[in-house]
Amino acid sequence: MATIVLVHGLWSDGTSWAKVITELRAMGHNPVAAQLSLESFGDDVASVRRTLATVSGPVLLVGWSYGGAVVGEAARGTDSVKALAYIAAFAPAEGESVSELSRKYPGSLIPKYVVVADGHTYIAREHFADVMGTDIPAEAVAIAAATQRMVRISLDGTKVGPPAWQDLPVHYLVATEDHAVPPVLQREMAARMGATVSEIASGHAPVLSHPREVAEFLDRACAAML
């Protein structure tokens, strides 16, 4: 069975995968979540590569949101990674950045509700659900808002090298009610990667609002590797 390595997005940490991990374990998987510093893109890529070195292959490497850019870079030259999965995630091509992609289409609420503090950003806590998804259970979104990580300004401006999705099978879960990464952008990125696409009626964080469905998506992606 493939090992699933999970990579979180901005303003979050590895515990955002907690419910998905529980669901995957019930299916017989033993997933591992990487922890990103959110201080520099290079550090985040290095962190994922360190995590990959601790597990046995074959690996399905999974990115949510900003984590999609990280997995595309971290998997390059990493032989154990046999496929990639993206969940409402950015998938920049060579020379692109997350911030560049985020400005391509209107519809994201991040610019409206992001707050700058001491060279870092966070999402206004009272509007966290507006950005991440009003379908997240109230207590879960309250905890996510209260525990959110601050993100170094310009972190998402790094232009990536040749992404690993050019050479690996890709699966993409489009969140059709996303107010952080517009669904039109998600579908466009998935199409140019040649991804196997699934869709879910969810806000930006199906990892919090629909953990069972996310786990089933990842389980199918693992099965396709065998």
Side-chain angles (χ1 to χ4, degrees):
M1 180 176 288
T3 299
I4 301 174
V5 175
L6 307 163
V7 181
H8 62 83
L10 301 180
W11 306 294
S12 63
D13 65 14
T15 63
S16 58
W17 295 101
K19 292 185 178 181
V20 175
I21 289 170
T22 297
E23 296 287 352
L24 287 170
R25 286 176 57 81
M27 296 174 181
H29 297 282
N30 288 298
V32 174
Q35 295 282 11
L36 307 182
S37 72
L38 303 181
E39 289 289 330
S40 82
F41 184 75
D43 286 348
D44 292 342
V45 170
S47 179
V48 173
R49 287 180 172 157
R50 283 193 297 271
T51 301
L52 289 170
T54 70
V55 302
S56 57
V59 171
L60 174 68
L61 184 57
V62 185
W64 165 47
S65 191
Y66 160 80
V70 178
V71 303
E73 192 88 355
R76 191 172 68 247
T78 306
D79 292 341
S80 62
V81 178
K82 303 302 183 185
L84 300 170
Y86 292 76
I87 299 171
F90 289 100
E94 183 176 4
E96 290 181 342
S97 68
V98 168
S99 61
E100 178 184 347
L101 286 172
S102 69
R103 295 190 297 270
K104 189 169 185 179
Y105 296 103
S108 174
L109 292 179
I110 292 174
K112 183 176 181 179
Y113 295 126
V114 73
V115 181
V116 177
D118 191 27
H120 292 71
T121 66
Y122 67 98
I123 300 298
R125 298 178 185 95
E126 66 273 23
H127 293 290
F128 199 81
D130 297 317
V131 174
M132 294 295 175
T134 55
D135 54 340
I136 305 170
E139 187 65 12
V141 77
I143 292 171
T147 61
Q148 67 177 297
R149 300 272 301 285
M150 297 185 75
V151 176
R152 172 71 65 180
I153 290 175
S154 79
L155 171 73
D156 58 355
T158 302
K159 296 182 183 297
V160 305
W165 53 255
Q166 295 176 329
D167 304 307
L168 293 172
V170 178
H171 303 263
Y172 199 109
L173 183 62
V174 174
T176 62
E177 309 301 318
D178 198 326
H179 295 298
V181 182
V184 62
L185 176 62
Q186 294 181 42
R187 294 187 180 106
E188 182 179 282
M189 292 184 294
R192 74 177 179 182
M193 290 191 290
T196 299
V197 178
S198 301
E199 297 200 352
I200 186 169
S202 170
H204 183 57
V207 299
L208 299 176
S209 57
H210 300 280
R212 178 68 183 183
E213 291 88 341
V214 170
E216 289 171 345
F217 163 74
L218 297 177
D219 184 62
R220 292 194 300 271
C222 280
M225 293 169 59
L226 304 178

